[in-house]
Structure formats: C-alpha cells, structure tokens
Amino acid sequence: MPQKHAILYYAQRTTHGGFLISEASGVSVTAQGYLHTPGIWSKAQVDAWKPIVDAVHAKGGIFFCQIWHVGRASKFEFQPNGEAPISSTDKLITPLTLQDGTIEAFSPPRSLATDEIPKIVDDFRRAARNAIEAGFDGVEIHCAYGYLVDQFLKDSVNDRNDQYGGSLQNRCQFALEIVDSVTKEIGSD
C-alpha cells in the first residue's frame, strides 16, 4: 500500500509545473519483489494514492505513476501462495552482493506459458486505468533494469521459442502489447 508519509515526500519534491514520476508500483499481486513497495492493482491502493496525487497537484505538479512487474527479481515469500516468480525464462538471477556485503538471492522463476502472457498484459492495462482513477496525469511503463519487460527484451535472458522469443522483433512483442493495451485504455496523450 502507498503510505501516508508519501503525501509529504512527493509534495516536498513538487514545484509549480514540475513533472514527477512515482516510485515503481506493482501491476498485480505477482509483480512484487521487495518489501514495502506500493501497488496500483486494487481499489484500496487507488484510494491510498489519491491524497498523494492530490498533494502534488495542489502544488501545481504533473504526476505520472510508474507501473512495473519485477518478474524473476522476486522470492517465493513475495508471491501468492509461495509460488515461483514468473518470467520469460526459468533461468535464475545470479545472486547480488549489496554495498554492505549482504548477498541477495532470488527464487527460481517459472517461465510463463504463452497463453498466460495476455493476462500479464491486461494487468498493465488495468494498472494504468487505476492510476488515472487515482488522479495521476499519466503512466510510465517500467521496461528496464532487469525486471519483467526487460527480461523479455534481453536475448541473454529470454530463451523462449514462441512468438515472444528468438528474434529482436519477437522479444519486443510483449513490450509492444503492453504499450498498445495501455494506450488503448488511457490514451497515448
């Protein structure tokens, strides 16, 4: 859930006519990969974002919601019923060594079946609609840093042999479907 302290946090960073992009907000219950990251898939989350968005608008700011799905950058504990994180692949992410020396390991992912992909695309569409209902001026689709959309784009990660894998054109298909779905839902403007 977005937290009340975010009202002050974002308002402090707003100037008249300024443009802000929110922290990454999960598009579904399977999109989570870290503690305390907000989502935008439920009515309760939409309602929690409204006063935050209102505070930015009250200071004259323009505010976009960044929507994302972490894909395989997750752990069983963040997934519904302790299931495997979803991805374009079943390849495990190499554990990361954090600045403090802590090792962060991720759970083995499950490659999405081809017929499951439209559901994830629809999660992005619904999250975009929810963002607009919360009062955001638009959305930014998070497609980088090794998260789900990027997992489909990278030939070093995406080992699929369906219409979402192989050639660059096929690897871009997932991202293009998300963009198309979101723009049809809330407009490209």
Side-chain angles (χ1 to χ4, degrees):
M1 292 294 291
Q3 299 297 304
K4 288 184 180 182
H5 67 268
I7 296 169
L8 178 61
Y9 176 85
Y10 285 110
Q12 286 177 334
R13 286 150 181 81
T14 303
T15 58
H16 184 74
F19 176 57
L20 275 82
I21 300 173
S22 76
E23 61 202 289
S25 298
V27 299
S28 71
V29 68
T30 66
Q32 300 303 98
Y34 303 96
L35 285 175
H36 311 298
T37 56
I40 190 78
W41 70 84
S42 74
K43 181 180 180 341
Q45 291 162 335
V46 169
D47 291 344
W49 273 114
K50 285 179 180 181
I52 301 166
V53 174
D54 289 347
V56 170
H57 287 158
K59 289 188 73 178
I62 299 164
F63 200 14
F64 275 35
C65 182
Q66 184 181 76
I67 55 177
W68 78 333
H69 194 300
V70 299
R72 70 182 186 153
S74 188
K75 300 175 186 177
F76 298 133
E77 66 196 69
F78 294 116
Q79 296 302 306
N81 304 313
E83 296 169 2
I86 58 175
S87 181
S88 64
T89 184
D90 60 1
K91 293 179 189 175
L92 187 62
I93 295 177
T94 304
L96 302 173
T97 303
L98 304 178
Q99 289 181 337
D100 66 0
T102 305
I103 305 287
E104 182 169 18
F106 299 95
S107 298
R110 176 182 67 81
S111 182
L112 284 162
T114 305
D115 64 355
E116 292 178 294
I117 293 173
K119 162 76 170 84
I120 307 305
V121 171
D122 194 58
D123 289 340
F124 277 89
R125 178 202 59 80
R126 189 172 39 260
R129 170 52 50 208
N130 287 347
I132 298 304
E133 288 178 14
F136 284 98
D137 300 296
V139 299
E140 177 186 65
I141 302 166
H142 194 310
C143 297
Y145 303 120
Y147 296 117
L148 186 61
V149 176
D150 197 37
Q151 292 163 26
F152 274 83
L153 295 170
K154 300 266 189 204
D155 62 355
S156 61
V157 175
N158 184 337
D159 57 2
R160 303 178 73 86
N161 58 13
D162 61 7
Q163 69 263 31
Y164 296 97
S167 70
L168 177 59
Q169 181 177 350
N170 285 2
R171 293 192 322 271
C172 289
Q173 187 62 35
F174 179 60
L176 293 171
E177 287 178 10
I178 291 170
V179 170
D180 185 56
S181 179
V182 165
T183 56
K184 282 180 180 172
E185 182 68 23
I186 65 169
S188 61
D189 58 345

